[in-house]
Amino acid sequence: MRELLELLEKNARLSTSELSAILRRSEYEVDRDIQKLERDKILLSYNALINWEKFGDDSVTAVIEINLTPQREVGFDAIAERIYRFDEVRTVYLMSGSFDLLVIIEGKSLKEVADFVATRLSTIEGVTQTRSHFLLKAYKKDGVIIEDEEHDHRLVISP
């Protein structure tokens, strides 16, 4: 099943017949495995990676480092759940090191993101500190190079 997951992770648009040909298994087996992976919450989503900037949509992405005071008997989980339920929040990771949670959020403007951090994130009980970093440009995301233009890097030699 690992090979099936790796294929879907690279290209979720592959049809069941294409997957079965690559894996040398029947379409029935591939379809059954996909259904099991979905049921077991191993295969969570089929996503498209879109260059929204090139499409013309402007948005602001921020990476927020959050320090927390863990809660008795639930640690960081209860606070993380409160945070990941906000619509603006795209990703939440528990981290080791100098901060506890890494949160990635998106908004329409710097002001919208700043207001979200100031009024909704930083006011949650247990949040002791936030540090915001705004993304300026994406070069590579989820293993995909965003602007992959071919450049000739050879040196020009003149007579």
Side-chain angles (χ1 to χ4, degrees):
M1 278 210 223
R2 172 177 277 289
E3 193 176 3
L4 173 60
L5 288 170
E6 289 171 351
L7 288 167
L8 288 171
E9 186 176 45
K10 286 181 185 160
N11 184 358
R13 293 187 64 189
L14 291 171
S15 68
T16 305
S17 62
E18 291 169 317
L19 290 166
S20 67
I22 294 167
L23 297 169
R24 295 188 183 112
R25 297 174 53 211
S26 73
E27 288 185 37
Y28 170 79
E29 290 174 306
V30 170
D31 191 50
R32 182 195 63 211
D33 287 349
I34 289 172
Q35 288 178 21
K36 180 176 180 2
L37 290 165
E38 290 172 344
R39 220 178 16 259
D40 293 345
K41 303 285 187 209
I42 295 169
L43 182 55
L44 299 174
S45 176
Y46 300 87
N47 295 317
L49 183 59
I50 300 165
N51 186 342
W52 288 108
E53 185 177 330
K54 195 169 198 170
F55 181 71
D57 283 5
D58 288 328
S59 66
V60 175
T61 302
V63 177
I64 315 297
E65 299 172 1
I66 302 178
N67 284 31
L68 305 172
T69 300
Q71 295 180 335
R72 180 179 282 265
E73 298 185 29
V74 292
F76 299 117
D77 294 347
I79 300 171
E81 182 177 353
R82 284 196 61 197
I83 292 170
Y84 69 63
R85 296 220 178 265
F86 289 117
D87 290 336
E88 296 87 346
V89 173
R90 296 288 167 244
T91 305
V92 178
Y93 294 110
L94 180 63
M95 304 293 291
S96 67
S98 60
F99 57 93
D100 302 311
L101 292 181
L102 179 80
V103 177
I104 300 173
I105 64 173
E106 286 185 12
K108 292 181 177 134
S109 68
L110 286 170
K111 183 177 178 357
E112 183 179 285
V113 171
D115 286 347
F116 175 79
V117 172
T119 62
R120 299 181 79 193
L121 273 186
S122 63
T123 60
I124 294 173
E125 186 177 341
V127 172
T128 59
Q129 184 179 25
T130 64
R131 285 177 296 285
S132 301
H133 309 275
F134 292 94
L135 275 57
L136 303 177
K137 180 178 181 177
Y139 295 101
K140 187 174 185 177
K141 185 174 179 184
D142 296 333
V144 176
I145 297 170
I146 304 298
E147 296 281 340
D148 195 12
E149 297 175 10
E150 290 293 322
H151 295 288
D152 189 352
H153 295 288
R154 295 177 292 177
L155 294 175
V156 176
I157 299 174
S158 59

